[in-house]
Amino acid sequence: MSTPRGLGFGAAGIAGLFTEVTEEQARAAVDAAWQRGIRYYDTAPHYGLGLSERRLGAALRDRPRDEYVISTKVGRRLEPHTGGGDDLANGFAVPATHRRVWDFTADGVRRTLEAGLERLGLDRVDVVYLHDPDDHAEEAFREGYPALEKLRSEGVVGAIGAGMNQTAMLTRFVRDTDVDVVLCAGRYTLLDHSALTDLLPAAVERGVSVVIGGAFNSGLLADPRPGATYNYAQAPTELLERALRMKEIAERHGITLRAAALAFCAAHPAVTSVLVGARSAAEVHDCADQFATPVPAACWQELRDAGLLSTEEPS
């Protein structure tokens, strides 16, 4: 079991990413995703200290289980925390009821998944990713990955992989292990083509599915303006100017920059799904509308002619 083709729902936003999201808003976002035909949902314990898993599980509880695919992640184990305060230092507007502990050991992977299944209200998930093992490569490859292989053989999970914001280690997973799918966030977008150099060719060669996250690079490609964020920090002037040029070209061809950004990610043959993070029903509907918008070949050509895309990009 891998991920459905098309648009997927990234569930970090409904767990209060940067600003609070109510239960009603979160439920409405998931309901809108279902209404628009989205059948792949991605979550993680990291998102809102388990809140994303709880909210997503509750919103999908009455949906036919064989009609959707759900992925979660391991590598950050949650431990109770009684110190009070909030979790905004880690990006989530939720009470700091737990603390995250990096743990890619075999025992940690199993315990983290068991806790995630309980929060989701499920007895199995379709995909499990090792989550951001950047600084824990030895433990992830030596213990975490074999633990996922065992869980897959036991039928607790359908597919296994890794999810990261870099391509080098994901390429290593693709070449050196038997992963089914990898989640690459922010490294294959209109502004960052780095996955083309290693990850995507390797995935094609090995028959590994690629899920793309961060299609808007955390905001800049959704709404390029002064103060917009790129990879969760203020966008450099050079990239803002580049995004504004892309927006101008897209609008000249009767589409939005958001539509071009999503279409770009989806066009590569290795890519099966493009995740969009949404925190409201309105955002879900907008993303679904943009994803369904065809991008004229002339738009890609003008972007190439302007030096904004390489000749290998969509045609």
Side-chain angles (χ1 to χ4, degrees):
M1 166 75 71
S2 191
T3 55
R5 292 196 169 270
L7 196 62
F9 182 90
I14 63 170
L17 183 63
F18 303 130
T19 57
E20 187 177 353
V21 174
T22 67
E23 294 282 348
E24 293 74 19
Q25 289 171 322
R27 181 59 181 262
V30 179
D31 287 347
W34 189 273
Q35 177 189 340
R36 296 304 297 266
I38 294 173
R39 294 296 182 268
Y40 173 39
Y41 301 85
D42 175 70
T43 183
H46 169 55
Y47 304 155
L49 295 169
L51 182 61
S52 174
E53 289 175 315
R54 289 194 297 274
R55 285 180 166 177
L56 186 61
L60 293 174
R61 194 142 302 148
D62 296 328
R63 310 292 187 184
R65 182 62 187 90
D66 60 352
E67 291 187 15
Y68 66 87
V69 166
I70 192 165
S71 59
T72 191
K73 305 181 183 75
V74 293
R76 288 176 174 91
R77 184 165 44 79
L78 300 182
E79 291 187 348
H81 171 68
T82 58
D86 60 45
D87 192 49
L88 280 170
N90 294 294
F92 292 90
V94 298
T97 56
H98 292 74
R99 68 185 186 97
R100 299 166 181 83
V101 178
W102 289 105
D103 191 345
F104 291 94
T105 65
D107 179 64
V109 163
R110 189 171 287 270
R111 287 168 58 194
T112 301
L113 180 58
E114 286 173 353
L117 289 171
E118 184 175 346
R119 286 188 290 267
L120 286 162
L122 298 172
D123 60 3
R124 63 180 176 85
V125 287
D126 304 290
V127 184
V128 175
Y129 299 108
L130 296 171
H131 197 186
D132 296 337
D134 304 66
D135 298 325
H136 309 271
E138 182 181 351
E139 190 174 70
F141 281 96
R142 188 185 67 245
E143 293 197 50
Y145 170 74
L148 288 190
E149 272 199 338
K150 192 168 190 301
L151 288 163
R152 182 175 60 184
S153 69
E154 294 169 355
V156 179
V157 306
I160 59 174
M164 306 180 71
N165 296 288
Q166 58 147 293
T167 65
M169 197 182 299
L170 285 182
T171 305
R172 182 180 168 192
F173 275 107
V174 168
R175 292 199 181 280
D176 297 347
T177 74
D178 188 33
V179 292
D180 304 290
V181 56
V182 293
L183 197 171
C184 177
R187 304 286 74 82
Y188 187 59
T189 72
L190 282 175
L191 291 170
D192 186 335
H193 305 168
S194 53
L196 275 175
T197 63
D198 50 8
L199 177 62
L200 294 174
V204 169
E205 179 186 336
R206 297 274 295 173
V208 173
S209 298
V210 178
V211 173
I212 296 296
F216 301 139
N217 282 123
S218 85
L220 181 57
L221 287 169
D223 182 17
R225 55 181 170 73
T229 54
Y230 176 81
N231 292 351
Y232 305 102
Q234 183 166 323
T237 301
E238 177 188 352
L239 286 180
L240 173 59
E241 292 174 353
R242 189 177 181 89
L244 286 169
R245 290 172 64 200
M246 289 180 166
K247 179 182 180 183
E248 181 183 340
I249 291 171
E251 291 178 348
R252 190 152 54 239
H253 290 274
I255 63 167
T256 65
L257 180 60
R258 301 189 304 286
L262 293 172
F264 174 85
C265 293
H268 195 280
V271 174
T272 57
S273 302
V274 179
L275 288 175
V276 291
R279 55 197 303 115
S280 68
E283 289 184 0
V284 171
H285 286 301
D286 178 71
C287 285
D289 288 343
Q290 303 309 318
F291 191 77
T293 300
V295 178
C299 179
W300 298 127
Q301 188 60 52
E302 186 171 351
L303 287 168
R304 282 193 290 270
D305 292 344
L308 298 170
L309 287 183
S310 74
T311 56
E312 300 172 358
E313 306 316 323
S315 60

